[in-house]
Structures are given as C-alpha cells and as structure tokens.
Amino acid sequence: MRDKFLSWGIVLVVATWIVAILIRAHYWIPTLLSAIYALGVYNAYQSKHAILRNFPVLGYFRYFFESISPEMQQYFIERETDGKPFPRNQRSAVYRRAKNLSDTVAFGTQLEVNHRKYEGIKHSIYAKSPSEELPRVWVGGEQCTQPYHASLFNISAMSFGALSDRAQISLNRGAKKGNFYHNTGEGGISPYHLEGGDLCWQIGTGYFGCRDEEGKFNPELFTKYSTLPNVKMIEIKLSQGAKPGHGGVLPGVKNTPEIAAIRHVTPGMTVISPPSHSAFSDAAGLLRFVQQLRELSGGKPIGFKLCIGDTKEFEDICVQMNVLKIYPDFITIDGAEGGTGAAPPEFSDGVGMPLEPALIFVNRTLNNYNLRSKLRVIASGKVLTSLDILRAVAMGADMCNNARGFMFSLGCIQALRCNSNNCPTGVATQDKMLIKGLDVTDKAERVYHFHKNTLHTCNELIAAAGRSSYEEVDATMFMRGDEFDHLADLYFPDILGNVKQKARP
C-alpha cells in the first residue's frame, strides 16, 4: 500500500493540477490533494507508527475508530445486560432513580435466570409493608466520644482532582439534603467539600491536607481539619480495591495550581502516592495511629480501609487489637472489583480479593477474635443496586459505600476516559470547558434522589422477603443458579451417562 500510494498519488496530484490549469477551475481540489499527498509522504518515512508507515493517510482511520470504540460498543453493539464494568440496565436504573422517574421495566427480565450465575432473593408469601424510614447505623465504639449516626448507603472515596469542582459540590449538596456522608478521597478536604454535607475525611499514604514539606504526617494540620464540624468520620486508607499495593495516581494534566495548593504538592506534576504509610509499618503501629487520630480529632470515629490480600496480615491486626486494647470504630472493606480513575491494568485485573469472599473472611475473623461487636464493617466495591447492598449486608456489612453509582447520578456515561482529563460530562476532568456542562443545582438533586430511591427499594426488597429490619438480613435470603443445577440433577435422569455406558464396546 505504501509504494502504491507514493507512485499513484504523485500521478493523481500532477494530473489534477494539469486539468485545473487547463480549464482554469478553482485550485482548491489540487491544493487539497497535494496537502494529503505531502502528509502521506511524511507518514511513509516517519518511524514511530507502523500502521501509518505502511498505510499512509488511511492509517488515520484506524486510530479514529479506535478512539471512538467505547462509544461504538456502547451505542450500537452492547445489549441491555452487556457492558463493563456496569451493564446498560444497571446504568439506566441509576439514571431513572437519580431523575426521580419510574424505574420499572416492561415485559420481564432479560437475565438468563437458568444460568449458574443467576442470583435472587427468596420472597415470602407473608410479605410485609416496606418501611418509609431510610435505614441508619451508629458508628463509634466504646473509645469514641463523638459517635455518628450514618446512613446505610454513602458516597465512597473520590478526590477533588479525580473529580471536578462542580462534581464535588453536587455530591456534597446532595449528601446534605439526603443526610448521608461524602467521603473526600485521599486528595484532602477542598472548599468544594464544604457545602454543608457530612464528610468522611480519608487520609491516604500521601497525607494530602495534613502533610509537612517532606510528605510526612503533620498532627497540627490534621487537628485543624479533623475538628471541622462537617467532618464526622476519619478513614485511614491502607489500600484500594482497584489497585491494592499501588499508590493513588493524579495525572499531571489534572494537577492544577488549585489542586496542588490543597494537596501541598507541585502543580503540573503527576502525583503518585507512596504504596504504604510512613507513619507506621506494622499492625501495632497502625492501631497506635488510630488512637492518635482519635485523640487529635476530639474523639471522632476513626477507621481504616483496605482490600484484603495476605489474610495473615489482617489476622495480625486483630491480634494486636486484643493485645493493645485499641479498637477502630469501623473497617472499610474494598473489593478488587472497585473503581478508580487511573491504575495499571495488571493491578485492576489481577491483584486483591473480591468483595464477597473478603467480607465473609473479615466477619469470620473478627468473630473468631471476639471483635465483631466492637466496630462496624463497611462494604465498598461495585455496590450499586439495592440488591448489591442487601447482598453485602447478608455477607456481614453494616453499611455500604459507592462511588460509580453516584457518578452516574451526576451524568457519567461510562465513557472510560477518567484518566485522560477528557470526561465528556464534566465529572472526572479539570477541563474548564467540559466542567461548564455540569449544572450543580440539577445534579445535586439527582444525587439526593438516587440515594433515597435506592434505599427505598432496599426497604421494599426486605419487606418482600418477609423481614422487618436489616438485622434480619442474612445469606438465607438469597438463592443462586448453581443451587438449581444440583436440584435439576435430582429430578432429571443422567441421560448422557446412559449413552456413554451403551457406547462402550
């Protein structure tokens, strides 16, 4: 193709110029062809892109279609139950609930209910009337002097920097109206978090917002912000489900002077948080840090967030709790399926324990060490729908956090451009032009309605199962398709086994 383009292209260009001169026509056509040919010559002799070198000019179509492939897949190919990480039917449910529209569907389920992966709730023929009161949970153990009455469902960690200023304002105003908390993410407390909504301040390995010039923990700065009335809880981030063992990443293109000032870093540089904390290096150190933060904050609930990896490390933390008599007020368990704005694919796809087995392990371990009654367990990691919330509660969670569902309520379309600063809806970007498309007043209402309508559906589900409260939610409420496989074996003859026997010589 390269040789044909160079040889036939020059012939076409010369011929077009000759015709244009002879008939004295406008010269824009030969001029355009000359420019295209010059671009093709450059493509043919550059060395960075093999596609363009072998297919001058035409190779650009490949890059164009590759750039819009997520949109092509989403708009023209995927079905209602397709789409990753969230299928269209789940995204649509969030949009309708956020807009306070009817979230009913017509003509029955599109799921493969006879598939092993099907999961549903065992309803009761003695169903109850759903409660109108949205569920809440007290957070704060015996060593906490300022316990917090939290909603069952809250906004998970998303930093200012990863999200735009208008997105953060919308989330915080929605949290204020719905009386639930807004996790700041490890990027620190920005002015856009202070719109009146309750906050869970996350302290990451970079100590953004409470760090000294060397990036170490600064007790004075921590005290200044932790005693703000908006701050109801403080969460120490040990690891994140989407990239456990890897520090958070703020691309340089998103690191504006404003964000840099909030985080106490240099503007324009890509900020990678350390993979671990400098304030402690073992389980005992972690618990002493918990105690230090509780004292500095005036007795507010202190907890930590982690994705389960080496189970022995979590067991060691439990051992040290009993030895030191220092207990966190909550533990947030993030599943490997959790989301992020930027992570190496190997970390997102191949590191960490998924949420469900992690919750089962954590609850079993806490019970084994007689610790479960002393703290709350929060589930985080793709907890989007009411069914997801109840499943997490059944596996042992007291509360749930969600990030991407609230992003959908802001208008996120799952464009998968969070790490590029080109989010088309103005949610996960610092591009001022794109941010202008996000209307704070409208989106704050959507955040509020998504939270309220999701929990209302939770109430309807437990009532359908004949339960009166969330304390009665457990694994016996659920049924799975793999159970049906075993059930079918009891009622259908093993025909293939008979065929195999008859086929033997």
Side-chain angles (χ1 to χ4, degrees):
M1 183 63 192
R2 178 173 179 266
D3 293 337
K4 289 180 180 179
F5 178 88
L6 294 176
S7 57
W8 286 101
I10 190 64
V11 171
L12 179 63
V13 169
V14 171
T16 306
W17 273 109
I18 292 174
V19 171
I21 293 172
L22 288 176
I23 65 175
R24 297 180 180 180
H26 294 291
Y27 297 133
W28 67 269
I29 294 180
T31 301
L32 178 61
L33 289 178
S34 298
I36 294 174
Y37 183 73
L39 177 62
V41 171
Y42 168 76
N43 291 159
Y45 289 99
Q46 56 81 37
S47 58
K48 290 186 177 180
H49 304 286
I51 290 291
L52 290 176
R53 189 176 176 89
N54 291 331
F55 300 90
V57 180
L58 291 177
Y60 286 112
F61 286 96
R62 188 262 184 191
Y63 296 117
F64 170 72
F65 286 117
E66 182 182 48
S67 69
I68 64 171
S69 61
E71 289 81 3
M72 297 286 286
Q73 175 73 26
Q74 187 178 122
Y75 299 147
F76 301 109
I77 299 174
E78 72 177 41
R79 299 170 299 173
E80 288 295 306
T81 55
D82 292 335
K84 300 292 182 180
F86 294 95
R88 186 191 298 272
N89 60 345
Q90 290 188 356
R91 301 197 307 269
S92 297
V94 174
Y95 297 145
R96 291 193 295 269
R97 287 172 180 167
K99 295 176 183 178
N100 206 27
L101 301 174
S102 172
D103 60 355
T104 59
V105 295
F107 227 64
T109 181
Q110 297 186 33
L111 299 179
E112 297 181 20
V113 294
N114 288 316
H115 196 278
R116 313 178 44 88
K117 293 183 178 179
Y118 171 76
E119 186 172 293
I121 283 181
K122 300 174 184 175
H123 69 280
S124 171
I125 58 175
Y126 309 109
K128 300 181 181 296
S129 297
S131 171
E132 293 299 322
E133 183 178 352
L134 301 185
R136 306 193 69 81
V137 179
W138 280 103
V139 183
E142 58 189 31
Q143 298 171 340
C144 171
T145 59
Q146 296 190 53
Y148 173 59
H149 203 205
S151 171
L152 178 73
F153 189 46
N154 303 279
I155 302 172
S156 194
M158 294 181 285
S159 303
F160 171 56
L163 265 57
S164 67
D165 51 3
R166 292 194 182 190
Q168 295 289 6
I169 293 172
S170 302
L171 290 172
N172 200 255
R173 289 183 183 178
K176 178 183 179 181
K177 184 171 182 178
N179 196 20
F180 55 99
Y181 72 71
H182 175 195
N183 192 307
T184 65
E186 66 174 311
I189 301 174
S190 73
Y192 312 110
H193 289 107
L194 302 175
E195 293 288 321
D198 292 344
L199 292 179
C200 176
W201 182 18
Q202 187 180 87
I203 308 297
T205 56
Y207 304 111
F208 299 123
C210 58
R211 60 187 267 151
D212 59 22
E213 294 181 356
E214 298 179 354
K216 303 293 181 63
F217 176 70
N218 185 317
E220 290 75 23
L221 276 177
F222 174 81
T223 302
K224 174 184 176 181
Y225 288 105
S226 65
T227 53
L228 291 173
N230 303 65
V231 176
K232 304 298 183 182
M233 299 163 53
I234 293 98
E235 179 181 78
I236 304 166
K237 176 186 169 185
L238 302 180
S239 57
Q240 180 179 349
K243 48 187 173 186
H246 191 287
V249 179
L250 178 68
V253 68
K254 286 187 172 185
N255 186 13
T256 65
E258 181 183 29
I259 292 170
I262 293 170
R263 297 193 180 203
H264 297 196
V265 296
T266 303
M269 65 178 290
T270 296
V271 180
I272 302 178
S273 303
S276 59
H277 283 262
S278 59
F280 54 87
S281 58
D282 55 19
L286 165 63
L287 296 174
R288 292 191 180 98
F289 191 57
V290 167
Q291 185 179 41
Q292 180 186 8
L293 298 192
R294 188 181 284 130
E295 293 171 354
L296 292 173
S297 66
K300 292 184 178 180
I302 311 294
F304 57 84
K305 171 182 177 178
L306 79 164
C307 177
I308 298 296
D310 187 343
T311 55
K312 293 181 180 178
E313 293 179 343
F314 185 80
E315 291 176 355
D316 186 36
I317 294 173
C318 294
V319 169
Q320 290 301 316
M321 286 185 204
N322 285 326
V323 170
L324 300 175
K325 305 301 180 184
I326 300 173
Y327 309 104
D329 298 292
F330 64 92
I331 299 175
T332 303
I333 305 301
D334 201 7
E337 62 271 47
T340 180
E346 291 84 356
F347 278 81
S348 288
D349 296 340
V351 182
M353 187 181 293
L355 180 61
E356 187 174 301
L359 282 174
I360 295 172
F361 162 74
V362 166
N363 276 278
R364 184 175 299 166
T365 305
L366 291 173
N367 280 318
N368 289 343
Y369 287 92
N370 298 316
L371 295 168
R372 186 61 183 87
S373 62
K374 297 180 181 297
L375 51 84
R376 296 298 187 183
V377 174
I378 305 175
S380 174
K382 214 173 179 182
V383 184
L384 179 75
T385 68
S386 304
L387 196 63
D388 296 331
I389 294 173
L390 292 184
R391 184 189 303 113
V393 172
M395 295 299 108
D398 296 297
M399 302 156 53
C400 296
N401 289 346
N402 178 264
R404 287 170 288 182
F406 285 99
M407 288 178 68
F408 289 144
S409 71
L410 291 173
C412 168
I413 59 172
Q414 197 169 278
L416 307 181
R417 299 181 186 275
C418 306
N419 60 337
S420 68
N421 205 38
N422 295 318
C423 170
T425 58
V427 176
T429 180
Q430 299 305 316
D431 187 310
K432 296 299 183 183
M433 189 277 291
L434 294 171
I435 294 173
K436 287 181 180 178
L438 196 156
D439 182 81
V440 170
T441 302
D442 175 63
K443 303 308 181 186
E445 284 295 310
R446 294 191 184 191
V447 169
Y448 161 71
H449 285 302
F450 168 60
H451 172 268
K452 181 189 70 173
N453 292 330
T454 300
L455 285 184
H456 175 70
T457 306
C458 281
N459 287 351
E460 290 184 317
L461 285 173
I462 66 169
R467 265 65 169 183
S468 300
S469 68
Y470 286 82
E471 285 73 21
E472 299 178 29
V473 175
D474 57 25
T476 62
M477 278 180 56
F478 290 84
M479 54 185 170
R480 285 184 166 172
D482 54 0
E483 299 177 57
F484 306 155
D485 287 346
H486 298 305
L487 185 65
D489 291 339
L490 298 176
Y491 292 94
F492 290 90
D494 190 356
I495 299 175
L496 292 180
N498 295 336
V499 170
K500 289 178 182 178
Q501 290 179 356
K502 294 179 181 178
R504 292 175 182 172

